[in-house]
Amino acid sequence: MRRVVCPGSFDPVTNGHLDIITRAATFCDEVIVAVAHNVSKRALFNADERVEMLAEVTKAQDNVRVARFDGLVVDFCRANNVSAIVKGLRAVSDFDYEMQMAQMNYSQAGVETLFMTTNPLYAFLSSSLVKEFAKYGGDVSGLVPEQVIDRLTSRVQEQ
Ligand code: PNS
């Protein structure tokens, strides 16, 4: 079985993430969306909430499942018999750090990383920017899945 992992913080999931997950699901048997529990940046949503939102927005996709992980992504891969990580690259600015992580993950654990180019429609999109936009009253429809809009707008208002 060809199983890949799409790891990330997903705080919250955006339409850019969803595009990568959906496209990855067309060329492999199973995609595990792995939600990092301990993100260094202060998260707006806790890990359970981020998992819940992802499960909701991917529920129609039979070969996608969502899990959370602590620690190294390569340990998660090993424990789940995953041979490759799939990452979206939005711009050249993503490349340096992503390549460094990919090489570290391959050299230390033999886990491959496959890069997919982000759909140009979402090339500017990041969870951080979406949170900031929502915080100051911006309209986030079209940027995050429908199921996330209300949760995001009410959470930023509570802050
Ligand atoms: O959505 P993000 O914040 O870009 O996701 C980054 C993430 C969580 C995928 C990355 O930081 C990660 O894999 N963290 C787990 C710890 C790890 O394995 N780090 C890589 C060391 S080379």
Side-chain angles (χ1 to χ4, degrees):
M1 178 185 262
R2 200 179 309 148
R3 184 182 284 139
V4 300
V5 65
C6 287
S9 316
F10 304 105
D11 185 41
V13 56
T14 67
N15 285 341
H17 295 129
L18 197 54
D19 177 65
I20 294 291
I21 294 164
T22 304
R23 285 161 55 206
T26 64
F27 65 75
C28 55
D29 301 310
E30 187 176 45
V31 175
I32 308 178
V33 183
V35 179
H37 181 212
N38 292 325
V39 283
S40 48
K41 26 196 174 179
R42 224 183 118 248
L44 184 63
F45 295 98
N46 68 36
D48 289 338
E49 292 171 319
R50 288 179 272 137
V51 166
E52 205 177 284
M53 287 186 277
L54 273 156
E56 211 177 319
V57 303
T58 58
K59 69 174 177 226
Q61 294 169 264
D62 292 340
N63 64 339
V64 176
R65 72 179 162 97
V66 185
R68 59 184 261 180
F69 76 101
D70 290 300
L72 294 176
V73 69
V74 290
D75 288 336
F76 180 86
C77 291
R78 218 177 271 128
N80 289 277
N81 205 18
V82 168
S83 49
I85 294 167
V86 170
K87 286 284 192 85
L89 284 182
R90 289 167 297 195
V92 179
S93 51
D94 283 343
F95 188 72
D96 280 352
Y97 183 55
E98 290 296 343
M99 190 170 79
Q100 225 181 339
M101 274 202 290
Q103 289 177 332
M104 179 78 142
N105 288 335
Y106 185 75
S107 77
Q108 299 309 110
V111 175
E112 295 281 3
T113 299
L114 310 178
F115 291 118
M116 291 177 68
T117 52
T118 292
N119 183 328
L121 283 176
Y122 307 123
F124 59 91
L125 210 47
S126 70
S127 297
S128 315
L129 216 54
V130 164
K131 284 183 280 193
E132 184 171 330
F133 201 60
K135 183 173 158 191
Y136 295 107
D139 177 6
V140 292
S141 52
L143 306 180
V144 296
E146 292 239 320
Q147 301 93 320
V148 172
I149 297 173
D150 287 348
R151 291 179 81 145
L152 174 59
T153 45
S154 50
R155 178 61 55 90
V156 291
Q157 278 160 19
E158 286 162 24
Q159 299 281 301

